[in-house]
Amino acid sequence: MKIKIEQSNSSRLSVLDVEKLVFGKVFSDHMFVCDYEEGSWINPVIKPYQPISLDPSVKSFHYGQSVFEGLKAYRDEEDKLWLFRPNKNIERLNRSLERLSMPEIPEDIFYQAIEKLVKIDEKWVTKGNGKSLYIRPFVFASEPSLSAAPSLKYKFMVIMSPVQNYFNSGKHSVKVKISEIYSRAANGGVGFTKASGNYAAQFYPTNLANKEGYDQVIWTNSDYTLIEESGVMNIFVRIGDKLITSKLSDRILDGITRNSILTLAESLSMETEVRDIQVKELVDAAKSGDLKEAFGTGTAAVVSPISLISYGGIDYNLPEIKGDSYSTILKNKILEIQHSSTKDQFGWKYPLS
Ligand SMILES: *Cc1c(COP(=O)(O)O)cnc(C)c1O
C-alpha cells in the first residue's frame, strides 16, 4: 500500500504552548485518511489537518457505527521515537470492528498510517517525562443511507494531539461515586469494545455525579453488585497488601495500561488478584480501613489515584497517596519504560525509524 502525501505548507507548532495543554484540543499539522469501498481499503492519504465533508445521511450519525483507539508516541533523551505496545491497539481495534459489523483494518495499513504520520509530524513529539503525542485512530460508517443495516462504506482516519501528563499524583486524585442506578455496559453488549456510543452513554450519569461533587462514576454490573470500571479507565483496588483488578468480561474494556500494570506489579512481587470485586467487599474494606488505595488506569492519564469513594450516600476517604503507594510506584515504573529511562524488560516498546 502506497500512502499519498500532501504536505502542509505551514506548521501550527510555533503557536503551541506545551506547558498549557488541555487534553485533545490541539492537533498536529497532518492527518491520515483511507476509504473502504467495495470490500477493500483504498486511497490512503496523509494531508493537512482539516475538516471533512459528509452527507447528512451517513450511517455513523444515525446508527453509531463508529469505533476508536488511543495510543501515544514518545521521544526519548536520544531523540528516538517510540510507540507503546501498538500491537495491542490493532488487535483491539479489530475486535471492536468485528463486534460493530465493520471491516477489519489490515495490520500493515494501521502501522504504515501511524508510522508515516508520526514521522511527518515528528516535531510534535516533545521530549520530557509525561510529554507525548496522543494518537487517535478511528473508523466510522460513511455510506449515505438510512437503511438500518451495516454500512457499505467506511473511513479509517488517524489524528494526533500533543499531551502533557501531570506528575504530582496526590494533587490530581479523583473523587468517585459507585453507580447504583446506571450501567455502562450490558451482558452480551459492546462494553468490551471502544465503540463511540459507550462514551455517549456515560456522559449523562457522569454529569449527575459531577453536580454532586464527584469526578467520575465507578461502573457496576446490571444488579449493581460488582465493581467494573472507573469512568473511562480500568480499576485497581488495594485491600491490605493485595492489588486486585476486575476480571475481563464482555462488559469490561481490555485496557493495555491495565495489562501492563498487572505485569509490572507481579514483576515487583506485589500480590495481585484478577477476579470479580463485590461492591460490598469494597465498601466493607473502606469502612474497616483495609482499603489502602484505589486507582484507574488508561493511556491518557496512565494511573489516576482515587481519594474518595461514595456509596449509599456516604463518602469514604482513602488514605493519602504517598511515595510508597502502589499507585505511585507503578505509575513511575510504567512512565520510566514509556519514556525510556529504564530497561524495557518486557519488549513493550516499538521503535519508529
Ligand atoms: C480505552 C479504555 C480504557 C483504557 O484502555 P487503555 O488501553 O489502557 O488505554 C479503559 N476503559 C474504557 C471503557 C476505555 O474505553
Side-chain angles (χ1 to χ4, degrees):
M1 190 194 60
K2 182 106 182 71
I3 300 177
K4 193 171 136 206
I5 308 230
E6 293 168 20
Q7 184 94 35
S8 162
N9 44 28
S10 65
S11 174
R12 281 173 288 106
L13 191 57
S14 57
V15 298
L16 181 72
D17 186 348
V18 230
E19 302 306 323
K20 283 199 194 129
L21 282 175
V22 179
F23 178 80
K25 287 271 192 194
V26 178
F27 296 95
S28 72
D29 293 321
H30 295 85
M31 64 185 193
F32 171 86
V33 192
C34 187
D35 297 310
Y36 182 87
E37 277 174 30
E38 290 170 10
S40 47
W41 289 102
I42 54 168
N43 309 328
V45 55
I46 286 175
K47 56 171 147 183
Y49 187 93
Q50 61 190 278
I52 56 171
S53 166
L54 291 169
D55 191 282
S57 70
V58 298
K59 290 188 179 185
S60 52
F61 292 151
H62 304 276
Y63 306 128
Q65 257 192 316
S66 172
V67 305
F68 68 93
E69 268 302 324
L71 67 163
K72 285 173 172 174
Y74 307 86
R75 179 186 294 276
D76 71 13
E77 289 306 315
E78 276 107 60
D79 277 322
K80 284 208 199 76
L81 303 181
W82 304 89
L83 301 176
F84 185 73
R85 310 187 77 182
N87 57 312
K88 292 266 177 202
N89 295 96
I90 178 62
E91 283 165 26
R92 187 171 66 191
L93 178 59
N94 281 332
R95 286 203 299 277
S96 297
L97 289 168
E98 181 186 26
R99 180 62 180 81
L100 275 286
S101 268
M102 299 164 74
E104 288 198 356
I105 304 288
E107 276 196 19
D108 161 56
I109 297 183
F110 181 83
Y111 281 107
Q112 272 206 56
I114 289 174
E115 286 180 37
K116 293 226 161 76
L117 189 61
V118 173
K119 188 93 208 148
I120 197 165
D121 279 345
E122 74 155 301
K123 289 205 174 68
W124 289 80
V125 194
T126 45
K127 212 186 301 198
N129 226 357
K131 296 195 175 75
S132 57
L133 185 62
Y134 182 81
I135 305 169
R136 168 56 62 90
F138 59 109
V139 188
F140 62 93
S142 56
E143 183 197 355
S145 162
L146 294 182
S147 102
S151 177
L152 296 174
K153 292 183 180 173
Y154 297 88
K155 275 186 194 293
F156 167 42
M157 297 185 61
V158 184
I159 56 176
M160 307 195 296
S161 175
V163 290
Q164 156 84 73
N165 265 113
Y166 296 99
F167 275 88
N168 204 336
S169 42
K171 249 200 300 199
H172 294 275
S173 56
V174 295
K175 299 183 167 129
V176 299
K177 180 183 176 168
I178 298 178
S179 184
E180 295 166 73
I181 301 174
Y182 300 98
S183 294
R184 189 193 84 88
N187 291 336
V190 298
F192 68 98
T193 71
K194 284 188 100 74
S196 312
N198 286 345
Y199 282 62
Q202 291 189 210
F203 293 156
Y204 179 72
T206 305
N207 274 346
L208 292 180
N210 292 161
K211 280 192 193 125
E212 295 174 45
Y214 305 102
D215 301 298
Q216 283 297 346
V217 174
I218 291 193
W219 301 106
T220 47
N221 63 333
S222 58
D223 62 5
Y224 320 110
T225 54
L226 298 178
I227 297 290
E228 308 244 277
E229 296 206 50
S230 175
V232 293
M233 303 180 94
N234 292 112
I235 189 164
F236 283 81
V237 298
R238 174 181 171 190
I239 296 179
D241 278 333
K242 251 183 237 152
L243 188 63
I244 314 168
T245 189
S246 311
K247 74 166 196 275
L248 297 176
S249 72
D250 54 9
R251 302 181 308 270
I252 294 182
L253 198 286
D254 183 359
I256 297 161
T257 319
R258 170 188 178 277
N259 180 282
S260 308
I261 288 288
L262 264 179
T263 303
L264 285 173
E266 279 155 19
S267 78
L268 294 170
S269 304
M270 293 173 182
E271 197 183 334
T272 61
E273 281 182 4
V274 179
R275 59 166 171 83
D276 286 342
I277 304 170
Q278 304 283 337
V279 171
K280 187 173 181 310
E281 175 187 10
L282 186 66
V283 173
D284 286 349
K287 277 183 195 155
S288 71
D290 285 342
L291 180 62
K292 305 289 184 210
E293 295 181 50
F295 56 89
T297 63
T299 296
V302 192
V303 169
S304 171
I306 292 168
S307 59
L308 180 148
I309 296 181
S310 170
Y311 181 70
I314 301 171
D315 287 349
Y316 300 93
N317 282 297
L318 271 72
E320 203 187 318
I321 297 126
K322 303 219 180 76
D324 63 351
S325 297
Y326 284 7
S327 67
T328 313
I329 294 170
L330 291 163
K331 181 173 190 172
N332 289 341
K333 198 86 197 159
I334 194 167
L335 284 167
E336 279 167 20
I337 294 176
Q338 290 171 336
H339 291 277
S340 308
S341 49
T342 199
K343 205 175 135 258
D344 173 23
Q345 65 182 111
F346 307 103
W348 284 341
K349 283 160 57 192
Y350 180 94
L352 292 169
S353 49

